[in-house]
Structures are given as C-alpha cells and as structure tokens.
Amino acid sequence: MINVLVTNDDGVFSEGIKALAEAIGEVAHVMVVAPDREQSASGHSLTLHHPLRIRKVRDHWFTVDGTPADCVNLAIHGLLKEAPPDLVVSGINFGLNLGNDVTYSGTVSATFEASLQKLPAIAFSQEVAEGFSFERAAGFARLMVGKMIEDGLPERLLLNVNVPADPYTGVAITRLGHRFYRQTVVEKRDPRGRRYYWIGGVPEWETEEGTDHAAITSGRISITPLHLDLTDYHGLEGFDGLTRELDQAVKQADDDDSNASDA
Ligand code: MN
C-alpha cells in the first residue's frame, strides 16, 4: 500500500478530514498532519517567525499549530522523513474552492506546497447546501484515489476537486471559473467611534460552460488540473517593446554612471 498524507485547513477536528482519512485509509496507509485549529483562507502562507509544535492526537494523527502549508512541510521534512508520502490529499473542505478562490484557499494551498515538494496532490472541497454529505464525498474520494493508485500515480499531479451538495449527476474535467464580488468591503464604526472594515460581499460567477462553477451548478463533480507556473505566456510577447526601451534606458544610465566616475 502507498503512503498518503492527509491534511486540511478546517482543522484536525473537522468532520471533513475525518471522513476523508477514513475513506482513503481503505486504499492506502494514511497519516494525518493537520492544523490544530481552523486555517481557512490562510492561502499558501508559511510560518517563519515563530516555532511550530507537532502534537500527537492518536495513532497516525498529528496536529501542527500552523498553516496547511506548514503541515505539509513538517510532515515531509520532519515527521514522515523515514517513510515519505507518495500522495498528499487535502480536505474535505467545508465549502467549495472554485475558480479565483484557489489562491486564498488553505485546502488547495496545501496541495500547492506538496506540488512544490514534487509530490502528487489532490484537494477535495464540498459544497455546503441542503443535503450535502461528507460521507458521500469521501466515498467519491476513495473511488477516485483507489483508481489512480491502481493505474499508477502520475509524477506531476495537482488536482482541485469540488463536489456538489446534490446527488451527483456526473463528473467533469474543468477549467477555473472567474468570480467577481459586487461589494467587497463593508465599513462600520466600533464602540469607540473608530472605523473598521469587513471583507465580504456576495460572490457572483461568470456563467461559462467548461468551468468548475458550471459543473457544480449542474450537479456534477468538478476536477480541475492545476499547475503552479503563473507565467503569462501570451504576455511574454506583449512586453517586447517596453522591455527593449527599458533595457536601453538601463544600459544608457549605466554608461552615464561609468562616464561620470571616469571623469
Ligand atoms: Mn476551510
């Protein structure tokens, strides 16, 4: 059996990670290393300015007083150094992680960190609405991971899986959708009259076929392959003119400097 590291951003005591660890435990050796408290929307942050502690909760279950990315790091380079994981799975998150939200998501960022450490990784997130079930989502995760283990895990694997609340009507391979918020910051006054702000608002999605959002709204499970190369390859050409001008200006300034110091 392969070794699977299970983590999340909702914290080690959340229902979603319990369902996921138990389900994956039927097809692999599972080790859980997860934040000791909720770390949702922590993104891909690493804790570098204070020490981290690992605490054993029970056999094969550990908590870290840090972020999901901390957990993946400590697991790979510390706790599981002798028997490193073959796969990292994250979730099952309480709530979807679609489109632009993936960079905020601690659930997905745990898989980004795994990918940087050259490990295959899958994030699972559950739509929270009437009728949703972590058990059903965990059953799908076991089916999916079980099949992938049978077929042999590809070397480069970074998948973002979102599961609808309704009974599943199918599975779709998707691209990230685009979200926009109508209103994002609410300004209020605290009891001392000082302003405070609350980031929020009602998310709205562009309704485009082929996106993760479109799959979920039609009751399908969405699987989005991701990669961490954020380079805009179209943009490389678009900046040719500007780059040439800046390049000349920098070289000219350098020449002027050396002329000045010669004088
Ligand atoms: Mn979360």
mmCIF file of all heavy atoms in Angstrom, residues 5 44 46 68-78 84-88 109-121 155 157-158 228:
data_model
loop_
_atom_site.group_PDB
_atom_site.id
_atom_site.type_symbol
_atom_site.label_atom_id
_atom_site.label_comp_id
_atom_site.label_asym_id
_atom_site.label_seq_id
_atom_site.Cartn_x
_atom_site.Cartn_y
_atom_site.Cartn_z
ATOM 1 N N LEU A 5 -0.462 11.261 2.814
ATOM 2 C CA LEU A 5 -0.571 12.303 3.843
ATOM 3 C C LEU A 5 -1.906 13.017 3.659
ATOM 4 O O LEU A 5 -2.225 13.475 2.562
ATOM 5 C CB LEU A 5 0.588 13.302 3.688
ATOM 6 C CG LEU A 5 0.486 14.593 4.500
ATOM 7 C CD1 LEU A 5 0.518 14.315 6.000
ATOM 8 C CD2 LEU A 5 1.606 15.551 4.105
ATOM 9 N N HIS A 44 -1.367 30.297 0.917
ATOM 10 C CA HIS A 44 -0.149 29.471 0.864
ATOM 11 C C HIS A 44 0.892 29.981 1.865
ATOM 12 O O HIS A 44 2.097 29.931 1.597
ATOM 13 C CB HIS A 44 0.388 29.523 -0.581
ATOM 14 C CG HIS A 44 1.392 28.465 -0.897
ATOM 15 N ND1 HIS A 44 1.833 28.215 -2.159
ATOM 16 C CD2 HIS A 44 2.050 27.597 -0.104
ATOM 17 C CE1 HIS A 44 2.713 27.236 -2.139
ATOM 18 N NE2 HIS A 44 2.863 26.846 -0.905
ATOM 19 N N LEU A 46 3.446 30.386 4.971
ATOM 20 C CA LEU A 46 4.312 29.552 5.808
ATOM 21 C C LEU A 46 4.640 30.337 7.065
ATOM 22 O O LEU A 46 4.777 31.556 7.012
ATOM 23 C CB LEU A 46 5.636 29.290 5.092
ATOM 24 C CG LEU A 46 5.782 28.096 4.162
ATOM 25 C CD1 LEU A 46 7.240 28.019 3.712
ATOM 26 C CD2 LEU A 46 5.359 26.800 4.808
ATOM 27 N N PRO A 68 -1.836 25.087 6.750
ATOM 28 C CA PRO A 68 -1.779 23.848 5.968
ATOM 29 C C PRO A 68 -0.419 23.644 5.287
ATOM 30 O O PRO A 68 0.099 22.521 5.263
ATOM 31 C CB PRO A 68 -2.890 24.041 4.934
ATOM 32 C CG PRO A 68 -3.868 24.955 5.605
ATOM 33 C CD PRO A 68 -3.037 25.887 6.425
ATOM 34 N N ALA A 69 0.163 24.728 4.750
ATOM 35 C CA ALA A 69 1.478 24.602 4.095
ATOM 36 C C ALA A 69 2.545 24.204 5.126
ATOM 37 O O ALA A 69 3.457 23.427 4.816
ATOM 38 C CB ALA A 69 1.857 25.905 3.403
ATOM 39 N N ASP A 70 2.439 24.731 6.357
ATOM 40 C CA ASP A 70 3.344 24.297 7.442
ATOM 41 C C ASP A 70 3.220 22.794 7.661
ATOM 42 O O ASP A 70 4.221 22.092 7.822
ATOM 43 C CB ASP A 70 2.991 24.999 8.765
ATOM 44 C CG ASP A 70 3.300 26.485 8.760
ATOM 45 O OD1 ASP A 70 4.216 26.903 8.031
ATOM 46 O OD2 ASP A 70 2.614 27.219 9.505
ATOM 47 N N CYS A 71 1.985 22.321 7.706
ATOM 48 C CA CYS A 71 1.730 20.892 7.965
ATOM 49 C C CYS A 71 2.413 20.018 6.925
ATOM 50 O O CYS A 71 3.057 19.021 7.259
ATOM 51 C CB CYS A 71 0.230 20.600 7.955
ATOM 52 S SG CYS A 71 -0.645 21.340 9.336
ATOM 53 N N VAL A 72 2.273 20.400 5.648
ATOM 54 C CA VAL A 72 2.862 19.610 4.564
ATOM 55 C C VAL A 72 4.379 19.604 4.693
ATOM 56 O O VAL A 72 5.033 18.562 4.581
ATOM 57 C CB VAL A 72 2.406 20.156 3.193
ATOM 58 C CG1 VAL A 72 3.172 19.491 2.056
ATOM 59 C CG2 VAL A 72 0.904 19.946 3.014
ATOM 60 N N ASN A 73 4.956 20.786 4.995
ATOM 61 C CA ASN A 73 6.407 20.883 5.169
ATOM 62 C C ASN A 73 6.916 20.049 6.320
ATOM 63 O O ASN A 73 7.885 19.308 6.189
ATOM 64 C CB ASN A 73 6.790 22.343 5.411
ATOM 65 C CG ASN A 73 7.339 22.961 4.162
ATOM 66 O OD1 ASN A 73 8.491 22.732 3.820
ATOM 67 N ND2 ASN A 73 6.509 23.709 3.455
ATOM 68 N N LEU A 74 6.277 20.210 7.474
ATOM 69 C CA LEU A 74 6.717 19.480 8.667
ATOM 70 C C LEU A 74 6.549 17.976 8.479
ATOM 71 O O LEU A 74 7.369 17.190 8.947
ATOM 72 C CB LEU A 74 5.930 19.939 9.903
ATOM 73 C CG LEU A 74 6.642 20.972 10.777
ATOM 74 C CD1 LEU A 74 6.963 22.232 10.013
ATOM 75 C CD2 LEU A 74 5.812 21.293 12.009
ATOM 76 N N ALA A 75 5.498 17.596 7.786
ATOM 77 C CA ALA A 75 5.266 16.165 7.547
ATOM 78 C C ALA A 75 6.351 15.592 6.649
ATOM 79 O O ALA A 75 6.973 14.582 6.977
ATOM 80 C CB ALA A 75 3.883 15.960 6.925
ATOM 81 N N ILE A 76 6.595 16.267 5.525
ATOM 82 C CA ILE A 76 7.526 15.718 4.533
ATOM 83 C C ILE A 76 8.967 15.754 5.049
ATOM 84 O O ILE A 76 9.710 14.784 4.906
ATOM 85 C CB ILE A 76 7.415 16.496 3.199
ATOM 86 C CG1 ILE A 76 6.043 16.257 2.564
ATOM 87 C CG2 ILE A 76 8.517 16.072 2.241
ATOM 88 C CD1 ILE A 76 5.754 17.120 1.361
ATOM 89 N N HIS A 77 9.347 16.864 5.663
ATOM 90 C CA HIS A 77 10.754 17.034 6.050
ATOM 91 C C HIS A 77 11.038 16.670 7.497
ATOM 92 O O HIS A 77 12.186 16.693 7.925
ATOM 93 C CB HIS A 77 11.203 18.468 5.764
ATOM 94 C CG HIS A 77 11.076 18.836 4.324
ATOM 95 N ND1 HIS A 77 11.822 18.241 3.340
ATOM 96 C CD2 HIS A 77 10.259 19.706 3.695
ATOM 97 C CE1 HIS A 77 11.486 18.729 2.163
ATOM 98 N NE2 HIS A 77 10.531 19.628 2.350
ATOM 99 N N GLY A 78 9.994 16.363 8.256
ATOM 100 C CA GLY A 78 10.203 16.013 9.655
ATOM 101 C C GLY A 78 9.582 14.681 10.013
ATOM 102 O O GLY A 78 10.209 13.620 9.904
ATOM 103 N N PRO A 84 8.335 8.802 3.512
ATOM 104 C CA PRO A 84 7.660 9.966 2.925
ATOM 105 C C PRO A 84 6.391 9.571 2.166
ATOM 106 O O PRO A 84 6.302 8.461 1.641
ATOM 107 C CB PRO A 84 8.699 10.563 1.978
ATOM 108 C CG PRO A 84 9.729 9.519 1.785
ATOM 109 C CD PRO A 84 9.666 8.578 2.932
ATOM 110 N N PRO A 85 5.415 10.488 2.129
ATOM 111 C CA PRO A 85 4.164 10.167 1.439
ATOM 112 C C PRO A 85 4.367 10.050 -0.074
ATOM 113 O O PRO A 85 5.247 10.699 -0.642
ATOM 114 C CB PRO A 85 3.258 11.359 1.771
ATOM 115 C CG PRO A 85 4.178 12.459 2.160
ATOM 116 C CD PRO A 85 5.401 11.821 2.731
ATOM 117 N N ASP A 86 3.538 9.214 -0.704
ATOM 118 C CA ASP A 86 3.523 9.086 -2.166
ATOM 119 C C ASP A 86 2.487 10.021 -2.766
ATOM 120 O O ASP A 86 2.476 10.278 -3.955
ATOM 121 C CB ASP A 86 3.164 7.645 -2.552
ATOM 122 C CG ASP A 86 4.116 6.643 -1.908
ATOM 123 O OD1 ASP A 86 5.294 6.644 -2.275
ATOM 124 O OD2 ASP A 86 3.677 5.900 -1.000
ATOM 125 N N LEU A 87 1.576 10.488 -1.899
ATOM 126 C CA LEU A 87 0.467 11.324 -2.356
ATOM 127 C C LEU A 87 0.009 12.181 -1.176
ATOM 128 O O LEU A 87 0.046 11.731 -0.029
ATOM 129 C CB LEU A 87 -0.692 10.418 -2.822
ATOM 130 C CG LEU A 87 -2.043 11.076 -3.124
ATOM 131 C CD1 LEU A 87 -1.954 11.901 -4.412
ATOM 132 C CD2 LEU A 87 -3.144 10.017 -3.277
ATOM 133 N N VAL A 88 -0.394 13.402 -1.473
ATOM 134 C CA VAL A 88 -0.976 14.272 -0.437
ATOM 135 C C VAL A 88 -2.411 14.578 -0.830
ATOM 136 O O VAL A 88 -2.673 14.982 -1.969
ATOM 137 C CB VAL A 88 -0.165 15.587 -0.305
ATOM 138 C CG1 VAL A 88 -0.821 16.528 0.701
ATOM 139 C CG2 VAL A 88 1.283 15.297 0.104
ATOM 140 N N SER A 109 -3.965 25.301 -1.114
ATOM 141 C CA SER A 109 -2.557 25.673 -0.931
ATOM 142 C C SER A 109 -1.726 24.540 -0.341
ATOM 143 O O SER A 109 -0.533 24.446 -0.614
ATOM 144 C CB SER A 109 -2.441 26.915 -0.054
ATOM 145 O OG SER A 109 -2.953 28.026 -0.745
ATOM 146 N N ALA A 110 -2.354 23.688 0.455
ATOM 147 C CA ALA A 110 -1.635 22.515 0.966
ATOM 148 C C ALA A 110 -1.165 21.653 -0.207
ATOM 149 O O ALA A 110 -0.049 21.123 -0.183
ATOM 150 C CB ALA A 110 -2.544 21.702 1.890
ATOM 151 N N THR A 111 -1.996 21.569 -1.244
ATOM 152 C CA THR A 111 -1.591 20.784 -2.415
ATOM 153 C C THR A 111 -0.552 21.537 -3.250
ATOM 154 O O THR A 111 0.301 20.915 -3.871
ATOM 155 C CB THR A 111 -2.798 20.391 -3.305
ATOM 156 O OG1 THR A 111 -3.391 21.562 -3.873
ATOM 157 C CG2 THR A 111 -3.832 19.621 -2.508
ATOM 158 N N PHE A 112 -0.603 22.884 -3.243
ATOM 159 C CA PHE A 112 0.450 23.665 -3.903
ATOM 160 C C PHE A 112 1.800 23.345 -3.245
ATOM 161 O O PHE A 112 2.808 23.142 -3.911
ATOM 162 C CB PHE A 112 0.196 25.176 -3.770
ATOM 163 C CG PHE A 112 -0.948 25.698 -4.595
ATOM 164 C CD1 PHE A 112 -1.454 26.970 -4.358
ATOM 165 C CD2 PHE A 112 -1.514 24.942 -5.610
ATOM 166 C CE1 PHE A 112 -2.499 27.481 -5.119
ATOM 167 C CE2 PHE A 112 -2.567 25.441 -6.376
ATOM 168 C CZ PHE A 112 -3.056 26.715 -6.123
ATOM 169 N N GLU A 113 1.808 23.331 -1.918
ATOM 170 C CA GLU A 113 3.041 23.071 -1.191
ATOM 171 C C GLU A 113 3.559 21.669 -1.505
ATOM 172 O O GLU A 113 4.758 21.469 -1.729
ATOM 173 C CB GLU A 113 2.815 23.234 0.321
ATOM 174 C CG GLU A 113 4.078 23.235 1.148
ATOM 175 C CD GLU A 113 5.070 24.311 0.733
ATOM 176 O OE1 GLU A 113 4.649 25.375 0.225
ATOM 177 O OE2 GLU A 113 6.278 24.079 0.903
ATOM 178 N N ALA A 114 2.655 20.691 -1.553
ATOM 179 C CA ALA A 114 3.043 19.314 -1.897
ATOM 180 C C ALA A 114 3.652 19.284 -3.294
ATOM 181 O O ALA A 114 4.676 18.633 -3.526
ATOM 182 C CB ALA A 114 1.825 18.401 -1.826
ATOM 183 N N SER A 115 3.028 20.031 -4.209
ATOM 184 C CA SER A 115 3.498 20.063 -5.587
ATOM 185 C C SER A 115 4.906 20.669 -5.664
ATOM 186 O O SER A 115 5.755 20.189 -6.415
ATOM 187 C CB SER A 115 2.520 20.878 -6.425
ATOM 188 O OG SER A 115 2.732 20.672 -7.790
ATOM 189 N N LEU A 116 5.156 21.713 -4.873
ATOM 190 C CA LEU A 116 6.499 22.310 -4.828
ATOM 191 C C LEU A 116 7.519 21.306 -4.303
ATOM 192 O O LEU A 116 8.696 21.370 -4.632
ATOM 193 C CB LEU A 116 6.509 23.561 -3.939
ATOM 194 C CG LEU A 116 5.746 24.776 -4.452
ATOM 195 C CD1 LEU A 116 5.828 25.919 -3.446
ATOM 196 C CD2 LEU A 116 6.284 25.225 -5.803
ATOM 197 N N GLN A 117 7.058 20.389 -3.456
ATOM 198 C CA GLN A 117 7.932 19.339 -2.913
ATOM 199 C C GLN A 117 7.924 18.113 -3.830
ATOM 200 O O GLN A 117 8.321 17.028 -3.423
ATOM 201 C CB GLN A 117 7.484 18.932 -1.506
ATOM 202 C CG GLN A 117 7.225 20.070 -0.537
ATOM 203 C CD GLN A 117 8.486 20.819 -0.154
ATOM 204 O OE1 GLN A 117 9.571 20.260 -0.190
ATOM 205 N NE2 GLN A 117 8.345 22.080 0.201
ATOM 206 N N LYS A 118 7.402 18.301 -5.047
ATOM 207 C CA LYS A 118 7.395 17.276 -6.097
ATOM 208 C C LYS A 118 6.557 16.042 -5.747
ATOM 209 O O LYS A 118 6.875 14.921 -6.131
ATOM 210 C CB LYS A 118 8.834 16.860 -6.471
ATOM 211 C CG LYS A 118 9.717 18.039 -6.860
ATOM 212 C CD LYS A 118 10.719 17.663 -7.897
ATOM 213 C CE LYS A 118 11.669 18.787 -8.273
ATOM 214 N NZ LYS A 118 11.001 20.077 -8.566
ATOM 215 N N LEU A 119 5.488 16.262 -5.021
ATOM 216 C CA LEU A 119 4.576 15.162 -4.695
ATOM 217 C C LEU A 119 3.243 15.375 -5.403
ATOM 218 O O LEU A 119 2.757 16.500 -5.498
ATOM 219 C CB LEU A 119 4.327 15.109 -3.187
ATOM 220 C CG LEU A 119 5.474 14.587 -2.331
ATOM 221 C CD1 LEU A 119 5.121 14.731 -0.862
ATOM 222 C CD2 LEU A 119 5.778 13.134 -2.664
ATOM 223 N N PRO A 120 2.633 14.286 -5.896
ATOM 224 C CA PRO A 120 1.282 14.410 -6.441
ATOM 225 C C PRO A 120 0.300 14.781 -5.338
ATOM 226 O O PRO A 120 0.477 14.374 -4.183
ATOM 227 C CB PRO A 120 0.970 13.012 -7.008
ATOM 228 C CG PRO A 120 1.992 12.098 -6.457
ATOM 229 C CD PRO A 120 3.144 12.913 -5.958
ATOM 230 N N ALA A 121 -0.706 15.583 -5.680
ATOM 231 C CA ALA A 121 -1.608 16.082 -4.631
ATOM 232 C C ALA A 121 -3.001 16.358 -5.179
ATOM 233 O O ALA A 121 -3.159 16.766 -6.333
ATOM 234 C CB ALA A 121 -1.028 17.349 -4.020
ATOM 235 N N GLU A 155 3.492 11.423 -12.219
ATOM 236 C CA GLU A 155 4.503 12.162 -11.460
ATOM 237 C C GLU A 155 4.028 13.580 -11.135
ATOM 238 O O GLU A 155 4.107 14.032 -10.016
ATOM 239 C CB GLU A 155 5.794 12.221 -12.265
ATOM 240 C CG GLU A 155 7.037 12.190 -11.410
ATOM 241 C CD GLU A 155 8.259 11.997 -12.261
ATOM 242 O OE1 GLU A 155 8.426 10.891 -12.838
ATOM 243 O OE2 GLU A 155 9.039 12.954 -12.390
ATOM 244 N N LEU A 157 1.023 15.768 -10.635
ATOM 245 C CA LEU A 157 -0.415 15.658 -10.435
ATOM 246 C C LEU A 157 -0.833 16.693 -9.413
ATOM 247 O O LEU A 157 -0.372 16.699 -8.275
ATOM 248 C CB LEU A 157 -0.775 14.260 -9.927
ATOM 249 C CG LEU A 157 -2.267 14.053 -9.672
ATOM 250 C CD1 LEU A 157 -2.992 13.783 -10.984
ATOM 251 C CD2 LEU A 157 -2.497 12.886 -8.717
ATOM 252 N N LEU A 158 -1.670 17.610 -9.837
ATOM 253 C CA LEU A 158 -2.191 18.628 -8.933
ATOM 254 C C LEU A 158 -3.640 18.869 -9.355
ATOM 255 O O LEU A 158 -3.904 19.473 -10.392
ATOM 256 C CB LEU A 158 -1.346 19.908 -9.062
ATOM 257 C CG LEU A 158 -1.709 21.092 -8.182
ATOM 258 C CD1 LEU A 158 -1.748 20.718 -6.718
ATOM 259 C CD2 LEU A 158 -0.712 22.231 -8.402
ATOM 260 N N LEU A 228 1.547 25.250 -11.101
ATOM 261 C CA LEU A 228 1.985 26.417 -10.337
ATOM 262 C C LEU A 228 2.797 27.408 -11.164
ATOM 263 O O LEU A 228 3.307 28.373 -10.620
ATOM 264 C CB LEU A 228 2.810 25.966 -9.130
ATOM 265 C CG LEU A 228 1.935 25.507 -7.961
ATOM 266 C CD1 LEU A 228 2.778 24.867 -6.888
ATOM 267 C CD2 LEU A 228 1.157 26.686 -7.396
#
